[in-house]
């Protein structure tokens, strides 16, 4: 991205975190990954992810998925398919992912009524998880992401020890702090572990849409918790990442704190969100 474009990043007014909080749940009660509290499915998903996500694996998955030959479907069709997906990495919720899409979008709509593109970003952000219904394992679809091609950071869920069986950690090219990267190369230039963030980002690039750069960035890095919530990987980020940071933080509030077992009435919300889809990402999309 050129410097001129960087300067155009719009400003988001960050709310006081206490302003957006589910009354029925303490914010500290989310994302509890302590081994005694977390379900086995969560531990297993991250164990497989941290063992098998390597540079070679991600290259292979990018080659495979970026042919976009899994059919042409609308956003609504994909959202409906996600009724069949329960995310095995998520310690907070056991309901199909389609509900989470509307919960996130509605949270954003309440606090950002003037930003329809942001609301739509909330609705869309996880639909890349459709990969799982087309054969990709959960450990390469869901969950928090990290950078491959350099040493894992301690703040990744389950820590550096969870990478003990990952072959890249034996590779002198990849096992150092910078690995295959140069200092502050920018997140645009790093290879993330393969999952729904990167897939949807690539799908959007391959199709016609009119979402702003901020939306693409939030989609691409929303699962990068070690970075946006723990301050890790700052040695790889650049000015664009700094400019975009408030947006990922703002997005994260809604992605995380709208998770509740109280399900939204999807049928009554559909017409409104269909109108946003028609405006920003209409018709059939190549997946
Ligand atoms: O378990 C969740 C879930 O898979 C989300 O979609 C992802 O964005 C989060 O990073 C992860 O913690
Ligand atoms: Fe996600
Ligand atoms: Fe999400």
């Amino acid at each position: 991205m050129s410097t001129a474009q960087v300067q155009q990043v719009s400003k988001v007014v960050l709310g006081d975190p206490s302003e957006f909080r589910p009354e029925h749940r303490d914010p500290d009660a989310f994302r509890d990954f302590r081994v005694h509290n977390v379900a086995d499915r969560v531990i297993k998903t991250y164990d497989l992810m941290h063992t098998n996500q390597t540079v070679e694996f991600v290259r292979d998955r990018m080659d495979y998925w970026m042919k976009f030959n899994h059919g042409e479907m609308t956003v609504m069709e994909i959202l409906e398919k996600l009724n069949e997906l329960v995310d095995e990495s998520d310690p907070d919720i056991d309901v199909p992912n389609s509900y989470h899409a509307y919960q996130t979008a509605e949270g954003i709509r309440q606090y950002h009524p003037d930003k329809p593109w942001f609301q739509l970003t909330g609705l869309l952000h996880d639909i890349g998880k459709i990969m799982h219904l087309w054969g990709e394992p959960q450990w390469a679809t869901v969950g928090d992401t990290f950078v491959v091609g350099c040493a894992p950071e301690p703040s990744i869920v389950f820590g550096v020890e969870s990478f003990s069986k990952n072959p890249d950690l034996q590779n002198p090219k990849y096992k150092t702090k910078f690995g295959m990267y140069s200092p502050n190369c920018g997140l645009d230039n790093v290879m993330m572990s393969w999952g729904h963030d990167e897939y949807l980002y690539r799908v959007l690039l391959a199709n016609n849409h009119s979402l702003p750069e901020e939306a693409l960035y939030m989609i691409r890095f929303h699962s990068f918790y070690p970075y946006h919530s723990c301050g890790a990987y700052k040695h790889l980020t650049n000015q664009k990442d700094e400019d975009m940071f408030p947006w990922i933080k703002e997005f994260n509030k809604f992605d995380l704190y709208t998770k509740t077992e109280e399900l939204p009435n999807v049928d009554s919300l559909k017409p409104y969100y269909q109108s946003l889809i028609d405006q920003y990402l209409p018709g059939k999309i190549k997946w």
Side-chain angles (χ1 to χ4, degrees):
M1 196 192 225
S2 73
T3 325
Q5 278 170 300
V6 168
Q7 283 162 355
Q8 280 164 19
V9 171
S10 52
K11 291 266 181 293
V12 61
V13 181
L14 279 176
D16 173 346
S18 64
E19 169 203 318
F20 185 77
R21 174 187 300 181
E23 283 114 47
H24 58 287
R25 213 168 154 188
D26 184 337
D28 295 337
F30 288 84
R31 290 178 60 81
D32 181 353
F33 286 100
R34 283 173 299 177
V35 233
H36 295 299
N37 298 0
V38 80
D40 268 2
R41 59 170 170 79
V42 177
I43 301 179
K44 274 192 199 135
T45 305
Y46 278 107
D47 181 53
L48 288 165
M49 182 195 294
H50 295 174
T51 299
N52 296 308
Q53 292 257 6
T54 59
V55 171
E56 201 189 321
F57 174 79
V58 176
R59 283 200 184 122
D60 174 77
R61 294 296 80 195
M62 289 183 107
D63 278 354
Y64 176 80
W65 286 102
M66 286 167 62
K67 296 194 169 76
F68 308 108
N69 58 4
H70 286 78
E72 301 206 354
M73 289 172 83
T74 66
V75 169
M76 272 301 171
E77 284 166 344
I78 298 285
L79 275 171
E80 273 159 31
K81 289 284 264 167
L82 291 177
N83 285 332
E84 294 162 41
L85 183 127
V86 177
D87 184 324
E88 289 178 1
S89 71
D90 195 336
D92 292 313
I93 205 131
D94 267 328
V95 301
N97 223 253
S98 47
Y99 292 108
H100 168 63
Y102 286 95
Q103 288 171 332
T104 310
E106 282 290 281
I108 297 174
R109 187 179 175 191
Q110 196 182 333
Y111 285 85
H112 297 280
D114 57 328
K115 293 187 185 61
W117 63 266
F118 192 13
Q119 301 160 20
L120 181 61
T121 304
L123 187 78
L124 292 175
H125 75 285
D126 273 345
I127 64 176
K129 291 180 188 173
I130 190 69
M131 278 192 297
H132 178 59
L133 301 179
W134 295 334
E136 194 65 29
Q138 289 239 3
W139 57 263
T141 300
V142 302
D144 292 3
T145 55
F146 56 92
V147 182
V148 296
C150 67
E153 290 276 307
S155 55
I156 297 173
V157 170
F158 301 122
V160 172
E161 316 78 67
S162 63
F163 288 83
S164 61
K165 294 169 278 164
N166 186 307
D168 278 3
L169 267 79
Q170 308 307 322
N171 187 328
K173 257 191 348 206
Y174 302 144
K175 68 179 192 185
T176 61
K177 179 174 176 181
F178 284 97
M180 60 185 201
Y181 307 109
S182 52
N184 304 106
C185 58
L187 295 184
D188 269 345
N189 300 309
V190 306
M191 189 184 278
M192 300 299 296
S193 53
W194 182 251
H196 63 288
D197 299 40
E198 187 74 21
Y199 177 53
L200 180 59
Y201 170 71
R202 299 290 172 168
V203 166
L204 291 171
L205 291 188
N207 284 279
N208 289 326
H209 71 84
S210 55
L211 288 163
E213 175 81 18
E214 290 85 342
L216 297 198
Y217 191 92
M218 287 187 271
I219 285 168
R220 193 178 190 188
F221 298 112
H222 76 269
S223 303
F224 195 13
Y225 273 83
Y227 167 64
H228 64 63
S229 296
C230 304
Y233 293 107
K234 289 275 164 61
H235 54 292
L236 299 178
T237 59
N238 66 9
Q239 187 61 48
K240 174 181 173 184
D241 300 309
E242 245 169 74
D243 294 343
M244 289 289 185
F245 196 71
W247 283 104
I248 325 195
K249 289 302 277 182
E250 186 63 6
F251 179 79
N252 183 245
K253 285 198 285 192
F254 301 101
D255 188 12
L256 187 57
Y257 298 126
T258 60
K259 285 179 182 173
T260 157
E261 305 284 328
E262 279 159 50
L263 302 182
N265 181 339
V266 168
D267 282 341
S268 69
L269 297 172
K270 265 188 193 166
Y272 175 70
Y273 287 102
Q274 185 60 58
S275 74
L276 301 190
I277 296 167
D278 291 343
Q279 187 182 347
Y280 293 98
L281 190 55
K284 298 267 186 202
I285 294 171
K286 282 189 290 175
W287 293 89

